[in-house]
Every structure is written in C-alpha cells, then in structure tokens.
Amino acid sequence: MNKNRLEAFSDGVLAIIITIMVLEIKLPGAANWNTLVQVFPVLLSYLLSFIYIGIYWNNHHHLIHSVNRVNGKILWANLHLLFWLSLVPLATRWTGENNFACMTMGLSDLYY
C-alpha cells in the first residue's frame, strides 16, 4: 500500500477532530468581558487539546516519512491511534464545561 493514502486518511481524521472541537465551543450571548471570562475554561480546554492534537499530527508526519512500506500491522496501529485521538473532543468538552473541576478534586474524592 502507498503510504500517501495512510497519511492523507490520518490528516483527514485529525482535521475532523479539530473541527469537531471548535464547533463544540458555544459563543456567549452578550458582547462584554464578563461573558467572555465565563467561556475562558472552554477556550483554554480547546487550546490545550489543539496543541495536543498538533503534537500528534507532527509526530505522525515525521513517523510516516520514515516508513518505506505500509503493511496491515501499520494500518491497524494507525487506526488504534486515531481511535484514541478521536476521543479528545469528548475530553475537551468535558473539561471545558466543568471548569477543570476534576483537576481540583483530591485523590480521596475519587473513592467516595
């Protein structure tokens, strides 16, 4: 199989993931700073996720260019990676809408 097809498919999936993340951002109703501050956790969550996806895209790009031939194992490994990356929009929305609440919980709060 030609590695260009694998790279194009992966680029497309990552582009869709980023598009889903940005479409999940709800705009504030009013045009003032107070409403923008309320949306800040969502924007921060999007920014961090965008950087995370960008790092994976960059590493994937360099990895594919070092490959000479694509076989079934590489295809399945690539699909495995893309599956887990496709869950990033879910995590992005969850952390943004909950104002990173899980990060302020203590370890003992997870068991009760």
Side-chain angles (χ1 to χ4, degrees):
M1 175 186 206
N2 190 345
K3 68 181 181 178
N4 292 337
R5 289 190 65 206
L6 175 68
E7 187 174 21
F9 175 74
S10 300
D11 286 349
V13 171
L14 293 175
I16 290 170
I17 290 170
I18 289 172
T19 302
I20 290 170
M21 286 189 320
V22 77
L23 290 176
E24 291 291 325
I25 298 174
K26 306 295 184 238
L27 296 175
N32 59 37
W33 287 105
N34 290 335
T35 56
L36 192 58
V37 168
Q38 292 172 356
V39 182
F40 180 74
V42 174
L43 296 175
L44 178 62
S45 178
Y46 171 73
L47 174 67
L48 294 173
S49 296
F50 185 89
I51 291 169
Y52 182 76
I53 295 293
I55 290 169
Y56 268 99
W57 174 77
N58 192 13
N59 290 339
H60 188 271
H61 173 74
H62 290 294
L63 182 67
I64 293 300
H65 281 283
S66 69
V67 170
N68 294 326
R69 208 172 135 263
V70 175
N71 59 22
K73 288 181 181 180
I74 291 175
L75 288 175
W76 283 107
N78 191 62
L79 281 175
H80 186 261
L81 171 71
L82 293 177
F83 169 77
W84 292 108
L85 289 177
S86 72
L87 296 176
V88 170
L90 176 70
T92 301
R93 184 172 183 184
W94 182 65
T95 55
E97 287 183 358
N98 293 307
N99 298 329
F100 295 89
C102 185
M103 295 192 178
T104 60
M105 263 192 322
L107 188 57
S108 62
D109 295 333
L110 295 175
Y111 298 108
Y112 299 107

